[in-house]
Amino acid sequence: GVISLEPLGKKGYSIPKAGTIQVTLFNPNKTVVKMFLVTYNFGDMPVNHMTFLRHRIFLVPVEEGSEEKDEASPGGAVLDRKRILCYLIHLRFQSSKSGKIYLHNDIRLLFSRKSIEVDTGIPYELKSFTEVPRNPKYSPRM
């Protein structure tokens, strides 16, 4: 799904340089379907630059332990095959000439069509991971 931010104006939605964004998805009966809480910090973003943030929520086997331990081990790729992507939210940010930060353009949501029920007998839990670009972290606005 896509949530357009264009009705808010050319710049987008003004936000603080650091904080938490809450995006709540409702069904037609006004019941909450999914709530995303995404923490960010763009205190070091230069003026007239932009970046994005991608927040993913996976169903991960409990027996695998922590992600950091498995990522460092040679069998870290096994975790990638066992985890199932459930939700993804993609947010775009830009800074103005004055240095204010804006959530702009649109918010993109992805819901997996795979069954969340896993019949292996292994206990699973939801784990969230937030990614930002690393090199370069910010791109100049054109």
Side-chain angles (χ1 to χ4, degrees):
V2 178
I3 302 167
S4 176
L5 299 176
E6 289 188 14
L8 299 174
K10 186 178 177 182
K11 288 183 179 179
Y13 185 74
S14 180
I15 59 170
K17 290 190 181 236
T20 302
I21 292 177
Q22 175 182 321
V23 177
T24 307
L25 183 66
F26 296 93
N27 67 14
N29 295 329
K30 305 294 184 206
T31 304
V32 174
V33 174
K34 177 67 183 161
M35 184 184 308
F36 295 92
L37 293 172
V38 183
T39 303
Y40 66 94
N41 186 351
F42 296 121
D44 60 342
M45 182 186 278
V47 297
N48 276 338
H49 277 68
M50 60 187 187
T51 191
F52 68 87
L53 186 141
R54 192 171 292 140
H55 184 77
R56 298 176 190 200
I57 301 172
F58 290 96
L59 201 56
V60 180
V62 174
E63 71 178 12
E64 293 295 335
S66 70
E67 160 114 353
E68 291 76 30
K69 182 185 83 174
D70 290 325
E71 218 172 83
S73 69
V78 174
L79 177 62
D80 287 339
R81 279 185 265 133
K82 287 186 180 180
R83 67 183 187 178
I84 300 167
L85 178 66
C86 296
Y87 309 103
L88 179 140
I89 184 167
H90 184 88
L91 305 166
R92 300 175 202 217
F93 301 87
Q94 69 181 9
S95 60
S96 65
K97 291 178 185 175
S98 64
K100 289 185 178 180
I101 307 291
Y102 293 89
L103 184 60
H104 79 102
N105 201 10
D106 58 24
I107 298 172
R108 295 177 182 230
L109 301 168
L110 177 77
F111 295 86
S112 175
R113 295 188 68 155
K114 290 183 181 178
S115 173
I116 293 180
E117 296 177 17
V118 180
D119 296 330
T120 61
I122 302 171
Y124 279 75
E125 64 185 351
L126 288 174
K127 287 197 175 188
S128 60
F129 303 93
T130 303
E131 305 168 22
V132 293
R134 296 190 194 279
N135 191 15
K137 186 174 180 181
Y138 305 112
S139 302
R141 285 175 48 196
M142 299 291 175

